[in-house]
């Protein structure tokens, strides 16, 4: 069997993605600590716009406000961008509180 994460992505991509400007330090097993910039996030995953030498199947651990440490798997890369799927779904109430903290500008927040 091939290595890497085998994830079902198609259903997850329907989640609303929220634009954010959030730098993180990701923990990677082989590359150590990596500085990444999260540019959008959903309850299922996030996208970075500075993926560097990350590739599909890579695992990272990041720290998010209110959620804490969470593991994610790289499910795609394109140019300098990469998309990650969380190893667990973030609860809706925790996610909305986190978005409020990550998007201090109310104009960026989704209207209820």
């Amino acid at each position: 069997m091939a290595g890497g994460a085998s994830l079902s992505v198609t259903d997850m991509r329907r989640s609303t993605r929220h634009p954010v400007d959030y730098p993180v330090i990701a923990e990677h097993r082989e590359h150590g600590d990596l500085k990444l910039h999260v540019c959008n996030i959903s309850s299922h995953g996030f996208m970075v716009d500075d993926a560097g030498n990350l590739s599909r199947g890579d695992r990272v651990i990041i720290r998010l406000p209110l959620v804490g440490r969470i593991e994610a798997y790289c499910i795609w890369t394109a140019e300098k961008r990469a998309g990650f799927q969380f190893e667990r779904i973030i609860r809706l109430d925790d996610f909305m509180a986190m978005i409020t903290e990550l998007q201090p500008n109310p104009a960026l927040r989704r209207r209820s």
Side-chain angles (χ1 to χ4, degrees), residues 22-93:
Y22 190 66
V24 297
I25 296 177
E27 299 172 31
H28 188 280
R29 180 177 288 180
E30 294 173 14
H31 304 303
D33 290 348
L34 303 171
K35 292 182 180 180
L36 298 176
H37 178 257
V38 177
C39 58
N40 76 40
I41 194 164
S42 76
S43 59
H44 297 285
F46 62 96
M47 183 177 82
V48 297
D49 55 12
D50 57 354
N53 58 353
L54 292 172
S55 57
R56 188 172 181 206
D58 281 351
R59 297 177 183 199
V60 297
I61 298 173
I62 64 171
R63 184 174 300 277
L64 295 172
L66 302 163
V67 174
R69 290 169 45 100
I70 188 166
E71 188 170 4
Y73 305 92
C74 183
I75 56 174
W76 63 265
T77 61
E79 299 173 2
K80 294 181 180 182
R81 299 176 301 146
F84 290 84
Q85 179 176 323
F86 293 128
E87 54 92 18
R88 62 182 165 86
I89 295 173
I90 300 171
R91 288 186 3 202
L92 182 60
D93 56 338

Side-chain angles (χ1 to χ4, degrees), residues 91-112:
R91 288 186 3 202
L92 182 60
D93 56 338
D94 290 340
F95 180 74
M96 294 313 292
M98 178 185 68
I99 288 299
T100 300
E101 188 166 327
L102 290 177
Q103 293 179 333
N105 179 352
L108 293 175
R109 293 187 205 137
R110 183 177 175 200
R111 299 197 196 315
S112 301

